[in-house]
Amino acid sequence: MKPVVIGEDVELQRAHLAAACRGLYRRGWMPGTSGNISVRSGDAVVITAGGLSKGTMSHHDVVVVEPEQGLPLLGESEWPPTETAIHLAVYRQLPSCGAVVHAHAPHSMALATLAGAAGSMGQVTFTDWELAKGLGVADPRLVTVPVFANRPEAPRIAEDVSAYLDESGADAPPALFIERHGVTTWGRDLEEARKRLECIEELSRLTLLVGTYGAGVTKEAVR
C-alpha cells in the first residue's frame, strides 16, 4: 500500500480545526457533540474527532485519517466521526476542495426537513437573494441545494452524495442538506467553507422568516 503523505502544517491545522469548532459551538451550530470539520493535509485528511463536545475541543481532539476508508493513521489516539465518509466523498469527487464543514445549524436543518422525503432526494431553491453571491456559484439568482435522506448508515449517505457530485460536478453548489441531520459546505480552504456555511444558514433563516419555503422547497426526487 502506498504510504500516506501528511502535510508539514498538520499540527497547525489541528489547532485551526479545534478553534473553528469552538466558534461554531458558540453560535449554536454545533450543539453537544454534533458537527465536524475537516481539511486536506497532503494525501491525508485531518478531521475533528467524533463523540466530543465542540465547545471544549482542543488540538488533541483532532485525528488524521487515510483518504480511502477514513481510518486513523498510526499514532492517532482519537476516532473520527461517523460522517467522515461524507467528507471523503466530497474530497474524492472535487479535487479542488480543501475543507469541509458539517454543522447542525438550526435554520438549515429546519428548511431541509421541510424538503426531505424519506427514500428520495429533495431540494431547496434560493431565488433572488443577494447573499447567495457568497456561495461562489455561476448564477446566484437561482441556487438549488440538494436534500439527502438521513440514512442510519453514514456510508450510504456518502454513496448518495458521491453519485450526485459525480453527475453534477463543478456545477453543484458548494453545499448539501441532510434531512433532520445537518448542512455540509465546502471550499478551497477552511475559511471559505465556513463563510459558505454562514451564507447557507442565513439564506435558510431568511427563507423561513419571509415564509417562502412553500415555493422554494420541493419534495420530488430530483433524479
Side-chain angles (χ1 to χ4, degrees):
M1 180 181 295
K2 179 183 176 182
V4 177
V5 178
I6 304 173
E8 295 180 357
D9 60 346
V10 64
E11 295 306 316
L12 185 61
Q13 289 176 322
R14 291 183 198 264
H16 285 167
L17 291 184
C21 279
R22 295 194 301 269
L24 293 176
Y25 171 87
R26 288 192 294 269
R27 300 185 72 163
W29 295 358
M30 287 188 173
T33 63
S34 67
N36 33 75
I37 306 177
S38 70
V39 294
R40 288 190 196 265
S41 181
D43 299 332
V45 170
V46 187
I47 190 167
T48 51
L52 301 176
S53 171
K54 303 307 181 292
T56 57
M57 181 157 283
S58 76
H59 67 283
H60 296 295
D61 304 319
V62 180
V63 56
V64 184
V65 301
E66 51 83 24
E68 297 302 321
Q69 299 181 52
L71 297 175
L73 296 183
L74 185 65
E76 294 296 318
S77 59
E78 296 293 345
W79 194 257
T82 56
E83 292 87 0
T84 298
I86 300 171
H87 290 245
L88 297 182
V90 175
Y91 288 127
R92 279 194 293 267
Q93 294 296 330
L94 303 173
S96 64
C97 174
V100 177
V101 179
H102 171 74
H104 289 211
H107 297 97
S108 297
M109 291 182 66
L111 191 60
T113 299
L114 289 170
S120 65
M121 191 169 75
Q123 60 187 30
V124 172
T125 300
F126 299 111
T127 306
D128 292 328
W129 288 104
E130 183 73 14
L131 186 60
K133 291 181 179 178
L135 298 175
V137 295
D139 185 3
R141 296 170 299 175
L142 185 68
V143 180
T144 300
V145 180
V147 181
F148 293 90
N150 185 17
R151 304 182 186 278
E153 305 85 9
R156 292 194 61 193
I157 301 175
E159 290 175 2
D160 293 341
V161 170
S162 183
Y164 163 76
L165 291 175
D166 186 52
E167 183 176 315
S168 302
D171 294 330
L176 60 88
F177 295 115
I178 303 172
E179 181 190 5
R180 298 182 185 274
H181 188 140
V183 56
T184 301
T185 59
W186 53 87
R188 291 165 297 183
D189 53 33
L190 178 56
E191 183 63 12
E192 185 172 70
R194 186 192 60 78
K195 288 179 179 178
R196 288 172 171 176
L197 172 63
E198 290 184 349
C199 289
I200 287 291
E201 174 63 1
E202 182 62 8
L203 286 167
S204 297
R205 187 186 75 86
L206 291 170
T207 299
L208 292 168
L209 187 64
V210 301
T212 59
Y213 58 84
V217 171
T218 57
K219 289 192 176 182
E220 296 83 6
V222 299
R223 60 185 177 90

